[in-house]
DNA sequence: TTGCATCATAACGACGACGTGATACTAGAG
DNA sequence: CTCTAGTATCACGTCGTCGTTATGATGCAA
């Protein structure tokens, strides 16, 4: 249960999520992720390291570049599910509000 | 994207996850959750409030008791999916290790 | 070898979340 | 009305994580 919470924590950070999204369409090297997200290089490196340790992303050096790739694209399904639940939660809250007014 | 991260954050805490699990089989009042989880009353109250604000759980007072209920049981699907991905990530890491040794 | 990218790490300060203990609030029993 | 069980909230200390700046390490080209 603690491990599961830690896994969720991987996705609980906006910038980390942005880094993950940058990798949705395929492998990118660090600089490419930096340009695509607008985050600082040090920060991108940190998040990529976390994602690697979490087993979400795979690190592969190629010459002087280092490419990162999402291992199991099922993570995007997880993200999509969360988005859906988030929308439903919003609707429910509006409904609850409407029931009062 | 920030909101999505916040939503993930809801599930990124072991005790909060435990509170949620306690509600898997149906509505419970606060004391029941306290007994089922072993957490302090104040802490359970806090987590339930968070879950309510997040729209995951519904608060319904009944007499002097207050019952909480999971609104959309799809959240358990989300949790299950995360568990699956977590397991796969573990396997992948072992495979990566085996590829080196 | 020297220089220039690319990437990783260290040290630091700031901010937020967690858990606890104490206290307020509420509804119903007596 | 009073007392009690159930629930919510407050104040506080603690700890983790985030982002930045600066620096270290690596590979390739000239």
């Amino acid at each position: 249960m603690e491990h599961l919470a830690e896994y969720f924590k991987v996705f609980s950070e906006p910038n980390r999520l942005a880094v993950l999204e940058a990798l949705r369409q395929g492998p990118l090297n660090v600089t490419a992720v930096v340009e695509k997200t607008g985050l600082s290089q040090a920060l991108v490196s940190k998040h990529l390291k976390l994602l690697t340790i979490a087993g979400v992303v795979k690190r592969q050096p190629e010459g002087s570049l280092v490419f990162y790739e999402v291992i199991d694209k099922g993570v995007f399904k997880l993200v999509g599910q969360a988005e859906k639940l988030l929308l439903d939660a919003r609707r429910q809250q509006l409904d609850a509000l409407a029931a009062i007014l």
Side-chain angles (χ1 to χ4, degrees), chain A:
Chain A
M1 186 133 278
E2 310 103 24
H3 293 152
L4 185 57
E6 280 184 24
Y7 190 73
F8 271 112
K9 195 173 292 187
V10 171
F11 304 96
S12 71
E13 223 287 320
N15 290 336
R16 200 149 50 225
L17 234 44
V19 169
L20 195 60
E21 280 299 327
L23 297 176
R24 185 188 279 268
Q25 301 149 7
L28 289 181
N29 67 338
V30 178
T31 301
V33 174
V34 167
E35 290 169 352
K36 202 163 188 175
T37 60
L39 303 175
S40 77
Q41 185 266 319
L43 192 54
V44 168
S45 250
K46 265 193 185 178
H47 284 311
L48 284 173
K49 182 175 186 182
L50 261 183
L51 289 168
T52 302
I53 292 175
V56 173
V57 145
K58 187 180 180 181
R59 186 186 123 108
Q60 33 204 13
E62 228 154 284
S64 70
L65 305 184
V66 179
F67 284 82
Y68 284 88
E69 180 177 11
V70 172
I71 296 174
D72 185 347
K73 296 195 175 177
V75 295
F76 294 117
K77 193 181 165 198
L78 183 75
V79 171
Q81 257 275 330
E83 280 172 340
K84 175 183 170 300
L85 286 169
L86 178 57
L87 285 182
D88 290 355
R90 292 213 178 294
R91 280 199 212 98
Q92 174 273 330
Q93 286 181 337
L94 289 183
D95 291 353
L97 189 63
I100 296 174
L101 304 181

